[in-house]
Amino acid sequence: MVYSEECAIIFRLKGILEFACQLDNPNGSQSQSTISKGFQGLQSKVSSKHIVFTVCNSPILIWPNTGFRSSMESLTEASACGDILQYIESDDGGSKKTLKKKDKKRSGHTVVNLKLLFEVTDPAGNEAPSLIRVDTQQHCVKMPLHLDCVLSVTTDESLTSVCTGLVETLRKQLADMEEVVQRYRKGSSFLVPQPFHFQLPEPARLTTVIYPAGVPDSQLQAIREDLHRKFELPSDRPYLRRANAYHFPDAAYKDGYLRNPHIHLNPPNIEDAKLYLVQGVYIYHHYMQDRVDDDGWGCAYRSLQTICSWFQHQGYVETAVPTHMQIQQALVDVGDKEPRFVGSRQWIGSIEVQVVLNQLLGVTSKILFVSQGSELATKGRELANHFQTEGTPVMIGGGVLAHTILGVAWSENSGQIRFLILDPHYTGGEDLQTITDKGWCGWKGPEFWDQNAYYNLCLPQRPKTI
């Protein structure tokens, strides 16, 4: 499934099917073929004339396996799939056409959500029902399968080919689910297969991987190694952990935190400058979040939390972002602070951030020392190299303030530089417009720094792992 970032639509089809089979002997040789027959029946079901796609937030129903039939007369088998957008209502009451430009700025493509349904009535036949009595003991296995398929196409692709592609994707996903069920089955104990979508680099494309529920990423290393070889992915960073799963642009995060506010900013106007930015997803942590009043002392803690969230979202760690007290306890545990430090309102700096990252996440960091703020204007090459190779947020502490650097705009020819700053001193709510308009996340010049204060920069390094 390869798509162009310029004019792509992602069709996402979701539905639930129930897998059921009866095993005479769960540990016998016939069990594998019995399970296969159950999945073959489901594949036949999604290929039948009874399957129906309903387009979310629209009146459209589509019968994909009956020579293409739609509930809208204007949508025929020759219609381009982009024509469907005009019938979809957005959350604000507008059509998907008006939503399209807004989505493109964020993601390069529009998502069309569909649900999988089946017609449940058939013309009655003349056959009488029959009853069969089975005396042997059998194990009945039932399991819900949450199907989640994606198909990426250009807007001029025909609706017929889209529907054909979705049905084929459904069949393939069921086959992949069967493979996972068979691999991890123990007798009549089954692990539910779960689909995850991942956006892979160069060329940008979405691919779907089925993982067994309940098996942690740490036990799926061999599976990921095979997939990295199959997709020719680098072997030194994670792409296919659950935390790396693609977040669809029309799906809201449920925890209330803002993520990646910098993507809504325009780049600074510097001649010959290139942008070197944080790679991946992070959470904006700042003063007064989580019902913790840390105004005036917690800026470095918040910067550290932002960095920890980056490692969590990129799949390097599965642990939660640490609280202030957990950060303090980690410093006590390594002997850096006295026990009375826990629960205090004492500041920490870049060196403590380095220690905590290593203690809690196993992440090493480099420290860049600057004797006075005026020297930061000369550190473009070092910072550009960091964001190009590591791509992690940088914590900078100097005087009594700490900030997070998310990137630089730097001209190698002129030496001009701007810093992309995420400011943890913000005390308001999660209001994206206020945060970007008021500069709490924004581009700053070298004059932003205290020219006479010394600074330590903590540059976290990526672990070499998948």
Side-chain angles (χ1 to χ4, degrees), residues 289-364:
Q289 278 181 336
D290 311 312
R291 299 181 180 179
V292 175
D293 182 359
D294 56 350
D295 190 355
W297 62 273
C299 52
Y301 293 83
R302 298 299 188 176
S303 181
L304 172 56
Q305 288 178 331
T306 291
I307 293 171
C308 291
S309 77
W310 185 93
F311 282 97
Q312 181 190 60
H313 277 75
Q314 270 52 247
Y316 287 102
V317 298
E318 298 180 43
T319 53
V321 172
T323 64
H324 291 56
M325 290 191 66
Q326 288 170 336
I327 292 168
Q328 292 172 339
Q329 186 62 54
L331 290 168
V332 171
D333 291 343
V334 298
D336 186 79
K337 303 291 183 184
E338 296 294 325
R340 64 177 180 273
F341 178 67
V342 178
S344 71
R345 298 166 68 91
Q346 294 183 34
W347 300 335
I348 60 173
S350 303
I351 303 301
E352 287 90 347
V353 168
Q354 178 190 35
V355 170
V356 173
L357 286 173
N358 187 60
Q359 173 72 2
L360 295 183
L361 275 60
V363 168
T364 61

Side-chain angles (χ1 to χ4, degrees), residues 164-349:
T164 301
L166 286 171
V167 172
E168 283 303 309
T169 305
L170 279 171
R171 291 175 58 86
K172 182 181 184 305
Q173 187 161 114
L174 285 167
D176 292 342
M177 285 183 166
E178 179 193 347
E179 183 179 339
V180 169
V181 167
Q182 298 276 26
R183 176 180 296 179
Y184 292 94
R185 176 179 68 92
K186 293 181 179 180
S188 59
S189 177
F190 288 27
L191 295 183
V192 177
Q194 296 177 325
F196 294 86
H197 308 299
F198 301 94
Q199 185 166 19
L200 304 185
E202 302 306 326
R205 64 193 188 277
L206 281 177
T207 192
T208 304
V209 177
I210 310 298
Y211 287 136
V215 178
D217 285 339
S218 58
Q219 296 180 24
L220 298 171
Q221 174 86 8
I223 302 296
R224 291 197 303 276
E225 288 175 354
D226 290 342
L227 291 171
H228 272 246
R229 285 190 289 269
K230 175 182 177 180
F231 297 121
E232 298 181 347
L233 296 173
S235 58
D236 61 349
R237 62 181 57 182
Y239 286 95
L240 298 170
R241 296 193 180 203
R242 290 178 175 93
N244 302 126
Y246 179 71
H247 187 82
F248 287 87
D250 60 339
Y253 286 100
K254 297 179 181 179
D255 57 18
Y257 294 115
L258 282 180
R259 288 163 173 81
N260 288 31
H262 75 278
I263 65 173
H264 301 275
L265 300 173
N266 293 319
N269 185 19
I270 301 177
E271 187 176 354
D272 295 330
K274 293 183 179 180
L275 295 181
Y276 304 89
L277 302 176
V278 63
Q279 302 171 22
V281 180
Y282 63 87
I283 290 176
Y284 179 23
H285 285 281
H286 56 79
Y287 277 169
M288 307 299 288
Q289 278 181 336
D290 311 312
R291 299 181 180 179
V292 175
D293 182 359
D294 56 350
D295 190 355
W297 62 273
C299 52
Y301 293 83
R302 298 299 188 176
S303 181
L304 172 56
Q305 288 178 331
T306 291
I307 293 171
C308 291
S309 77
W310 185 93
F311 282 97
Q312 181 190 60
H313 277 75
Q314 270 52 247
Y316 287 102
V317 298
E318 298 180 43
T319 53
V321 172
T323 64
H324 291 56
M325 290 191 66
Q326 288 170 336
I327 292 168
Q328 292 172 339
Q329 186 62 54
L331 290 168
V332 171
D333 291 343
V334 298
D336 186 79
K337 303 291 183 184
E338 296 294 325
R340 64 177 180 273
F341 178 67
V342 178
S344 71
R345 298 166 68 91
Q346 294 183 34
W347 300 335
I348 60 173

Side-chain angles (χ1 to χ4, degrees), residues 71-253:
S71 60
M72 306 295 293
E73 292 183 3
S74 57
L75 293 177
T76 67
E77 60 184 12
S79 298
C81 64
D83 295 345
I84 208 169
L85 299 177
Q86 62 189 304
Y87 299 102
I88 302 175
E89 293 288 325
S90 64
D91 292 336
D92 58 5
S95 72
K96 209 60 162 178
K97 274 189 173 179
T98 62
L99 190 66
K100 190 176 174 186
K101 289 184 179 178
K102 180 174 69 176
D103 280 351
K104 272 188 151 186
K105 183 178 180 182
R106 293 177 54 199
S107 62
H109 45 257
T110 300
V111 179
V112 175
N113 293 295
L114 303 98
K115 288 184 179 179
L116 175 64
L117 302 175
F118 291 91
E119 291 183 326
V120 295
T121 56
D122 252 341
N126 296 321
E127 301 85 1
S130 60
L131 298 176
I132 299 176
R133 180 177 176 178
V134 179
D135 291 327
T136 59
Q137 184 179 14
Q138 293 183 320
H139 293 263
C140 182
V141 177
K142 289 187 177 182
M143 175 174 58
L145 300 177
H146 292 262
L147 300 169
D148 187 348
C149 300
V150 292
L151 184 69
S152 303
V153 297
T154 55
T155 54
D156 56 357
E157 193 86 23
S158 73
L159 274 172
T160 301
S161 69
V162 168
C163 289
T164 301
L166 286 171
V167 172
E168 283 303 309
T169 305
L170 279 171
R171 291 175 58 86
K172 182 181 184 305
Q173 187 161 114
L174 285 167
D176 292 342
M177 285 183 166
E178 179 193 347
E179 183 179 339
V180 169
V181 167
Q182 298 276 26
R183 176 180 296 179
Y184 292 94
R185 176 179 68 92
K186 293 181 179 180
S188 59
S189 177
F190 288 27
L191 295 183
V192 177
Q194 296 177 325
F196 294 86
H197 308 299
F198 301 94
Q199 185 166 19
L200 304 185
E202 302 306 326
R205 64 193 188 277
L206 281 177
T207 192
T208 304
V209 177
I210 310 298
Y211 287 136
V215 178
D217 285 339
S218 58
Q219 296 180 24
L220 298 171
Q221 174 86 8
I223 302 296
R224 291 197 303 276
E225 288 175 354
D226 290 342
L227 291 171
H228 272 246
R229 285 190 289 269
K230 175 182 177 180
F231 297 121
E232 298 181 347
L233 296 173
S235 58
D236 61 349
R237 62 181 57 182
Y239 286 95
L240 298 170
R241 296 193 180 203
R242 290 178 175 93
N244 302 126
Y246 179 71
H247 187 82
F248 287 87
D250 60 339
Y253 286 100

